[in-house]
């Protein structure tokens, strides 16, 4: 697919205008003014020639073959043009025209007709409502952007045309090279996933950059991203976060799963490097496209002033990078030429009177230290330092080594020329030290990602069969929630240990059940309409005698009949009271973009107050389960603090994997919580004390 869009032998601009300043004019001009070698055909029924090129009344009048159509006619005429593309066997089109889905109901109808027409005509298209595309290598500029960046290795796709223009403008002003620019527009046909895969296969693209607001098929995107990110760094800025979907949730898991969480988790899981701001998007792109990846986390900082060194050190503390001490031999060598009052420990402060020579010698020495995996060079523009000579010295060294070197020449006016020299040598320069640290940190994390072994996806056999009937029955009865006895059966089928439980319909049955199970017991209301049992006073714990059980039965049933007279009460569940262990919560939620996600967190106040939870998209790999447990802030509590025994973390890991399988087995699950899941000491497993399941849809 990529060749049709990015390497066409000929281009037709349909709606090429005679009037300078109109979009159709600028696009035609861009196709011819940047060195594109193929044939360009303007199409306009009202003109015979534009920009010296012969004009044709319609695509069908062009006698030659055309590879790419750029459509700039008003919206009502787009479908007809696409039909003509089909007749003319043009399989790639870029639709610049606005006035589709983004403009309301009528536009949405028009877009649907366009999709249908393109399918019938065998035409793939980018857009509509886009700025166009640029390929600096094939010299195609089929856009109405003002300029063409220099050749480079960054491929950028963006849902926003305005963002494309902003990035392009910065690329032009700072002479940053790009391989391709793709403005995606409404993504009615060609999707982010298609373009991401195309960029992954493109030899001219080393780093893939993307800006997205939403995804049409999140799951497909994530699956593709997991493969692409192993091949090339994939840096994405995602905007348009909303948590509105969380409001209607009936489980903790659902309530805690905002859209931000789902994107964060999905990105993490698939090796996407997430930029949170446009600044980060650029900063990371510059580092990845210009420098080698660090082979480890150890970084050295060279600075000519204390403050910026401390700022960089603080940023290292907040990252995965480590500011390790240098080898003794390196320190001895540094002592041989640095002033005695310099600081030889990391950050290495070579003092305010340092010139290019001192920077050069220090950098060479530090790079030789095999403990060090990367260097950040900070420069404050003192009156003594020769910014350009220092930049040149750093650049020369950077070209000879395979360790990453990032610079932060601070300030603007006095370091501008130095910054340009650094860029010439492919050394990215950042205005502030912490930007350099975070960029290097992302490079280290990426090194870690590409070197980790392939993920393993365990499968547990023979679980689904035993639970199928329950889901089928609940669906047939058009119920949304599973009752406690049903949940008990499902969890049992999936191997979750549960407290001994018996259903009792009368007070007498409750007493008999309690006796059979053994005191103390817990009593819970059983009703298909009641999901949050304790919220309505439907749970009594620590019942130690026959009297307690009789009173509890009376209290629960009368209270619920009073406050919820229409609900169906099946009876109460008598349960063995489990004591000890740590409360955790695991759950399933359905995200609109990514489908089923699994949640993990510490139960009780940790989930209620701190919202200290982690998420992953299903299917969960062994590694995902391992990481999501360790990711929460309160993980040390599971490891055991102040002499407490370590909780059975391996059992939690397995339970997350089983839950992931449960979600895959039953697509009709909308939400589920096992809460609390009591985890015992290492090797002793866990008990699912309470759970809720909401189903629907498929
Ligand atoms: N085939 C070929 N050319 C045709 C045509 C057809 N069926 N119908 C009209 N034309 C010609 C017109 O004669 C005109 O040429 P002229 O200027 O020499 O007379 C040219 O196509 C453009 O048509 P016009 O009716 O003048 O439209 P326009 O230039 O005012 O607007 C768009 C056309 C596509 C630019 C406009 O509808 C639009 O969508 N603008 C927004 C674009 C945008 O912002 N995209 C998203 C960016 S992120």
């Amino acid at each position: 697919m990529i060749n049709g869009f990015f390497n066409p032998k000929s281009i037709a601009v349909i709606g090429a205008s005679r009037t300078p300043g109109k979009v159709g004019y600028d696009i035609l001009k861009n196709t011819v003014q940047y060195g594109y070698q193929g044939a360009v055909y303007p199409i306009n029924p009202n003109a015979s020639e534009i920009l010296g090129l012969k004009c044709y009344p319609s695509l069908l009048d062009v006698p030659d073959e055309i590879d790419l159509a750029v459509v700039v006619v008003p919206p009502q005429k787009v479908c007809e043009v696409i039909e003509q593309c089909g007749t003319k066997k043009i399989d790639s089109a870029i639709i610049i025209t606005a006035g589709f889905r983004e403009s309301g109901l009528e536009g949405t109808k028009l877009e649907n007709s366009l999709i249908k027409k393109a399918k019938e005509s065998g035409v793939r298209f980018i857009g509509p409502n886009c700025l166009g595309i640029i390929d600096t290598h094939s010299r195609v500029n089929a856009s109405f952007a003002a300029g063409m960046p220099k050749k480079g290795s960054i491929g950028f796709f963006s849902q926003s045309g305005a963002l494309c223009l902003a990035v392009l403008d910065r690329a032009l002003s700072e002479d940053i090279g790009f391989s391709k620019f793709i403005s995606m527009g409404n993504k009615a046909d060609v999707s982010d996933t298609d373009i991401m895969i195309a960029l992954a296969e493109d030899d001219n693209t080393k780093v893939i950059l993307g800006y997205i607001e939403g995804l049409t098929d999140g799951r497909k995107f994530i699956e593709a991203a997991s493969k692409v990110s192993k091949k090339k760094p994939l840096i994405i800025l995602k905007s348009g976060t909303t948590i509105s979907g969380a409001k209607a949730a009936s489980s903790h898991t659902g309530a805690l799963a905002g859209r931000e969480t789902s994107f964060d988790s999905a990105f993490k899981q698939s090796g996407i490097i997430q930029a949170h701001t446009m600044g980060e998007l650029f900063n990371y792109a510059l580092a990845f496209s210009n420098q080698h990846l660090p082979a480890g986390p150890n970084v050295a900082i060279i600075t000519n002033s204390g403050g910026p060194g401390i700022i960089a050190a603080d940023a290292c503390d907040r990252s995965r990078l480590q500011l390790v001490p240098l080898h003794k031999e390196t320190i001895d060598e540094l002592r041989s030429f640095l002033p005695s009052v310099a600081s030889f420990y990391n950050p290495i402060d070579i003092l305010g009177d340092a010139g290019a020579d001192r920077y050069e010698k220090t950098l060479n020495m530090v790079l030789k230290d095999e403990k060090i995996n990367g260097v950040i060079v900070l420069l404050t523009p003192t009156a003594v330092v020769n910014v350009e000579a220092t930049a040149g010295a750093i650049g020369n060294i950077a070209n000879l080594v395979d360790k990453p070197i990032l610079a932060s020449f601070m300030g603007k006016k006095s370091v501008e020329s130095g910054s340009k020299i650094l860029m010439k040598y492919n050394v990215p320069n950042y205005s502030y030290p912490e930007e350099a640290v975070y960029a290097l940190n992302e490079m280290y994390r990426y090194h870690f990602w590409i070197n980790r072994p392939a993920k393993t996806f365990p499968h547990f056999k023979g679980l689904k069969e035993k639970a199928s009937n329950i889901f089928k029955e609940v669906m047939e009865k058009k119920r949304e929630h599973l009752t406690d006895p049903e949940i008990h059966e499902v969890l049992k089928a999936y191997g979750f240990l549960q407290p001994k439980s018996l259903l009792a319909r009368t007070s007498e049955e409750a007493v008999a059940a309690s006796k059979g199970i053994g005191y103390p017991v817990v009593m819970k209301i059983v009703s298909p309409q009641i999901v949050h049992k304790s919220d309505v006073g439907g749970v009594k714990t620590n019942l130690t005698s026959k009297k307690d059980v009789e009173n509890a039965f009376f209290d629960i049933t009368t209270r619920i009949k009073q406050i919820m007279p229409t609900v169906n009460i099946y009876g109460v569940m008598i349960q063995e009271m489990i004591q000890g262990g740590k409360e955790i919560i695991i759950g399933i939620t359905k995200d609109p973009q990514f489908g089923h996600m699994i949640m993990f967190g510490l139960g009780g106040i940790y989930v209620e107050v701190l919202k200290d939870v982690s998420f992953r998209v299903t299917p969960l790999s062994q590694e995902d389960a391992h990481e999501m447990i360790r990711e929460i802030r309160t993980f040390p509590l599971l490891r055991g603090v102040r002499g407490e025994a370590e909780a059975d973390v391996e059992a939690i890991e397995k339970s997350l994997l089983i839950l992931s399988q449960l979600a895959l087995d039953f697509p009709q699950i909308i939400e589920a919580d096992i809460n609390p899941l009591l985890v015992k000491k290492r090797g002793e497993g866990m008990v699912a004390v309470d759970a809720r399941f909401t189903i629907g849809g498929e």
Side-chain angles (χ1 to χ4, degrees):
M1 187 193 96
I2 189 156
N3 263 354
F5 283 106
F6 301 108
N7 229 343
K9 287 195 198 74
S10 51
I11 303 173
V13 180
I14 307 100
S17 168
R18 293 158 291 181
T19 315
K22 281 178 83 168
V23 179
Y25 180 88
D26 289 345
I27 291 186
L28 183 67
K29 194 163 163 228
N30 276 351
T31 55
V32 291
Q33 73 172 333
Y34 294 109
Y36 172 61
Q37 296 298 308
V40 176
Y41 302 94
I43 313 291
N44 185 330
N46 308 312
S48 56
E49 188 187 294
I50 307 175
L51 286 166
L53 298 166
K54 179 175 162 43
C55 216
Y56 295 87
S58 125
L59 264 179
L60 303 179
D61 298 311
V62 180
D64 310 313
E65 273 185 24
I66 296 167
D67 280 353
L68 175 67
V70 188
V71 185
V72 213
V73 293
Q76 302 73 22
K77 296 183 179 172
V78 172
C79 279
E80 187 194 332
V81 171
I82 290 300
E83 193 173 359
Q84 291 173 356
C85 288
T87 313
K88 190 92 185 101
K89 303 261 177 297
I90 305 171
D91 52 18
S92 311
I94 299 165
I95 304 174
I96 305 288
T97 311
F100 290 86
R101 191 172 299 272
E102 80 289 354
S103 65
L105 195 62
E106 282 310 305
T108 305
K109 282 190 198 154
L110 198 57
E111 189 163 306
N112 291 339
S113 317
L114 169 63
I115 295 169
K116 192 163 168 267
K117 182 62 74 190
K119 267 212 179 90
E120 287 165 5
S121 314
V123 180
R124 297 296 315 264
F125 66 93
I126 292 177
N129 185 31
C130 74
L131 186 81
I133 65 161
I134 296 177
D135 185 321
T136 57
H137 293 265
S138 65
R139 309 307 295 164
V140 169
N141 188 332
S143 78
F144 61 103
M148 176 92 162
K150 75 167 189 187
K151 272 188 198 172
S153 59
I154 305 172
F156 178 53
F157 66 93
S158 167
Q159 193 166 346
S160 151
L163 210 92
C164 269
L165 291 174
V167 170
L168 180 68
D169 197 51
R170 183 157 168 202
L172 291 171
S173 70
E174 294 178 25
D175 210 22
I176 300 165
F178 275 78
S179 56
K180 289 177 172 56
F181 262 87
I182 303 114
S183 164
M184 303 292 301
N186 293 4
K187 303 190 278 192
D189 178 26
V190 171
S191 66
D192 305 282
T193 310
D194 297 327
I195 289 295
M196 181 173 67
I197 293 171
L199 289 173
E201 285 164 5
D202 173 31
D203 291 340
N204 295 321
T205 299
K206 202 170 132 191
V207 177
I208 304 171
L209 231 61
Y211 167 76
I212 54 175
E213 285 159 11
L215 293 168
T216 20
D217 187 342
R219 198 160 264 272
K220 206 167 143 206
F221 181 82
I222 289 305
E223 273 166 26
S226 306
K227 293 187 190 122
V228 170
S229 66
K230 285 275 178 188
K231 224 169 146 185
K232 294 177 186 181
L234 178 57
I235 307 165
I236 302 219
L237 173 63
K238 155 82 182 73
S239 74
T241 301
T242 148
I243 52 162
S244 58
K247 286 198 192 97
S250 65
S251 70
H252 278 301
T253 308
L256 287 161
R259 294 269 291 280
E260 186 168 16
T261 316
S262 65
F263 272 92
D264 286 353
S265 316
F267 280 16
K268 216 177 290 172
Q269 207 170 344
S270 53
I272 293 173
I273 299 151
Q274 190 173 8
H276 296 93
T277 60
M278 272 187 75
E280 281 185 2
L281 191 71
F282 245 96
N283 290 345
Y284 299 165
L286 286 183
F288 278 97
S289 59
N290 288 302
Q291 286 290 304
H292 298 279
L293 292 179
N298 297 344
V299 60
I301 293 166
I302 300 172
T303 176
N304 65 344
S305 55
I310 296 170
I311 291 173
D314 284 349
C316 284
D317 260 2
R318 289 191 290 269
S319 77
R320 290 210 196 168
L321 298 179
Q322 285 171 24
L323 216 50
V324 289
L326 304 170
H327 266 308
K328 187 178 170 309
E329 297 79 63
T330 314
I331 296 174
D332 290 344
E333 297 256 24
L334 290 175
R335 276 191 204 284
S336 69
F337 65 87
L338 287 177
S340 58
V341 289
S343 171
F344 302 97
Y345 304 96
N346 211 352
I348 304 138
D349 188 348
I350 59 173
L351 305 180
D353 60 348
D357 182 47
R358 210 183 279 171
Y359 266 105
E360 185 178 0
K361 277 187 177 162
T362 309
L363 181 57
N364 267 324
M365 215 48 77
V366 169
L367 284 165
K368 272 194 211 135
D369 191 322
E370 76 246 356
K371 259 167 107 180
I372 298 302
N373 306 118
V375 182
I376 294 173
V377 184
L378 310 180
L379 179 143
T380 311
T382 62
V384 183
V385 74
N386 180 332
V387 170
E388 288 159 27
T390 308
I394 295 171
N396 273 321
I397 297 172
N399 281 352
L400 301 174
V401 295
D402 57 7
K403 292 181 183 180
I405 300 175
L406 274 59
S408 174
F409 281 23
M410 279 167 290
K412 187 145 180 77
K413 198 157 173 268
S414 17
V415 295
E416 214 160 338
S417 54
S419 180
K420 282 201 175 121
I421 294 171
L422 285 168
M423 267 317 289
K424 220 169 75 193
Y425 285 103
N426 301 324
V427 176
N429 183 46
Y430 300 96
S431 302
Y432 304 107
E434 57 273 39
E435 292 178 319
V437 172
Y438 296 142
L440 188 61
N441 180 48
E442 290 307 321
M443 293 176 88
Y444 167 62
R445 281 164 46 103
Y446 184 63
H447 160 84
F448 196 75
W449 168 257
I450 50 175
N451 286 297
R452 61 186 281 173
K455 289 183 176 184
T456 42
F457 292 89
H459 182 77
F460 306 93
K461 284 205 186 105
L463 309 180
K464 183 179 175 181
E465 294 68 29
K466 295 178 202 155
S468 289
N469 278 343
I470 294 174
F471 282 102
K472 208 169 137 224
E473 217 177 289
V474 179
M475 291 293 278
E476 275 167 8
K477 288 186 181 152
K478 301 206 177 339
R479 289 199 343 247
E480 284 179 21
H481 305 291
L482 269 64
T483 61
D484 271 359
E486 287 161 347
I487 291 172
H488 189 86
E489 284 311 305
V490 171
L491 293 184
K492 196 168 134 202
Y494 279 78
F496 284 94
L497 236 86
Q498 295 170 85
K500 278 183 247 158
S501 303
L502 287 168
L503 180 70
R505 274 168 295 255
T506 61
S507 182
E508 293 71 33
E509 279 181 20
V511 171
S514 306
K515 201 171 161 211
I517 285 170
Y519 291 105
V521 294
V522 176
M523 186 184 293
K524 296 175 182 174
I525 187 78
V526 178
S527 160
Q529 285 98 14
I530 300 175
V531 186
H532 295 285
K533 299 177 285 283
S534 27
D535 292 358
V536 292
V539 181
K540 300 264 180 197
T541 58
N542 204 17
L543 308 175
T544 54
S545 62
K546 176 173 181 269
K547 198 157 185 309
D548 277 358
V549 171
E550 285 166 348
N551 288 343
F553 187 89
F554 181 77
D555 280 359
I556 288 182
T557 47
T558 21
R559 185 182 155 76
I560 289 177
K561 273 180 198 147
Q562 262 169 13
I563 58 169
M564 304 171 86
T566 55
V567 300
N568 242 340
I569 299 175
Y570 288 7
V572 295
M573 185 80 112
I574 301 295
Q575 250 181 13
E576 171 193 5
M577 179 142 163
I578 307 286
Q579 279 148 325
K582 293 222 165 73
E583 279 189 24
I584 64 159
I585 171 171
I586 64 174
I588 303 171
T589 182
K590 211 174 215 174
D591 180 78
Q593 306 263 346
F594 301 109
H596 276 146
M597 300 189 71
I598 301 295
M599 184 191 83
F600 163 74
L602 246 59
I605 55 158
Y606 299 105
V607 65
E608 304 272 350
V609 184
L610 300 178
K611 307 202 178 338
D612 186 17
V613 288
S614 57
F615 283 86
R616 290 292 184 278
V617 178
T618 58
L620 237 60
S621 68
Q622 187 92 48
E623 295 74 14
D624 293 327
H626 179 92
E627 281 169 15
M628 68 190 287
I629 296 171
R630 284 150 184 87
E631 195 174 289
I632 61 166
R633 280 167 288 155
T634 41
F635 172 66
L637 295 178
L638 291 174
R639 276 259 175 266
V641 285
R642 301 201 179 157
E644 266 182 338
E646 185 181 351
D648 199 337
V649 176
E650 274 160 35
I652 305 177
E653 230 168 86
K654 189 171 172 202
S655 72
L656 290 168
L657 293 167
I658 288 182
L659 203 64
S660 163
Q661 187 164 320
L662 175 60
L664 290 174
D665 287 346
F666 297 102
Q668 59 268 59
I669 296 174
I670 295 174
E671 286 170 10
D673 277 341
I674 304 182
N675 177 33
L677 182 58
L678 281 181
V679 193
K680 301 197 187 158
K681 279 192 289 196
R682 195 173 178 174
E684 292 185 6
M686 53 200 345
V687 184
V689 175
D690 204 357
R692 53 187 64 98
F693 277 75
T694 307
I695 63 169
E698 292 150 77

